[in-house]
Amino acid sequence: MTSQLTYLQFHLAFLVPIAMFLIATGFVSRSRLDGLSTVRSTGRHSYWVGVAIITVIALAYTTPWDNYLIARGVWRYGDGSTLATLGYAPIGEYLFILVQPWVTALWLAHLSLPATWPSVTRPIRSRIAAVVLAAGIGIGGLWLLGTAATFYLGAILAWAAPVLALQWAVGAPQLVARRRLVALGVAVPTLYLSIVDRIAIEYGIWILSPEYTTGIYVAGLPIEEGLFFLVTNLFVVQGLVLYGWVTDRWLAPDGERRSIPRLRSWTDREV
């Protein structure tokens, strides 16, 4: 299908508005702040500093992988849908990598973020089990790389496994304890980005290779694309939850605490 939207127009139509909406509703939520929770007091370690760090890591980690898959021909861009490229990827691709963590983080900020961190039993055992699971994901991904039709699927899993292994090694018990928060934080942006990705594919902004994909679709969306948004949003949400836990428990001076507001919203339960 001939492209009717450029990558820049895609950003203006779907990513900028949702980011502005989440910012606006975030201000509304903050006008209803209720109660005070205690966390350690160092102004350096704010939620948005964590978002910025994760965004930089996302760009550094995703850029080589993204460029390799484009060069391999896993996907391409419609005629006239891009303005300029850097390496093999168009500028719009880098903007997408930069914007997605902020969209996910803006959504996560609407939820009831942890005010306290529960004690856990057998933390070492749960971390080891989680790392073994991540290793299994990586091995499965490498195996899928051996077949053309599962190449993109395998590339996603093999690329995701090291990040999952690191996050789960650091804080699998805390992530399990906050599994409802993680699940809700991941599900909503994954659904939204999957829908707009489906629209972009329909308009031919980017075109997936039938050679390197399974041909399996869910509501018209290739399963590989849905999986990509699932794992990348999982990276962001888990990273922010763990950032809060690490800065609270390890980096702040002992005994030094401050009060911060806790959001009260329709999600204001122990998530």
Side-chain angles (χ1 to χ4, degrees), residues 89-104:
I91 300 302
E93 190 82 358
Y94 299 103
L95 290 175
F96 195 104
I97 297 170
L98 291 171
V99 170
Q100 183 187 345
W102 287 86
V103 169
T104 304

Side-chain angles (χ1 to χ4, degrees), residues 19-172:
M20 297 303 294
F21 173 77
L22 290 171
I23 290 170
T25 54
F27 279 116
V28 173
S29 295
R30 290 184 65 84
S31 71
R32 297 185 293 111
L33 291 174
D34 174 62
L36 294 174
S37 304
T38 57
V39 295
R40 301 181 192 272
S41 68
T42 51
R44 310 187 293 274
H45 307 305
S46 71
Y47 178 79
W48 299 110
V49 170
V51 177
I53 292 170
I54 287 172
T55 302
V56 172
I57 293 172
L59 182 64
Y61 189 65
T62 306
T63 294
W65 178 84
D66 202 69
N67 275 264
Y68 169 72
L69 293 183
I70 295 170
R72 181 71 181 261
V74 173
W75 69 82
R76 60 184 177 85
Y77 299 90
D79 295 338
S81 65
T82 61
L83 299 176
T85 60
L86 180 60
Y88 290 97
I91 300 302
E93 190 82 358
Y94 299 103
L95 290 175
F96 195 104
I97 297 170
L98 291 171
V99 170
Q100 183 187 345
W102 287 86
V103 169
T104 304
L106 284 166
W107 162 247
L108 185 64
H110 285 62
L111 308 183
S112 297
L113 301 176
T116 59
W117 301 98
S119 59
V120 294
T121 59
R122 299 178 179 176
I124 301 300
R125 181 177 297 182
S126 60
R127 287 189 179 97
I128 292 173
V131 170
V132 169
L133 175 59
I137 292 171
I139 292 169
L142 292 174
W143 180 74
L144 290 172
L145 288 173
T147 303
T150 56
F151 184 83
Y152 186 21
L153 186 63
I156 295 170
L157 294 175
W159 170 78
V163 178
L164 296 177
L166 177 60
Q167 291 183 332
W168 293 347
V170 170

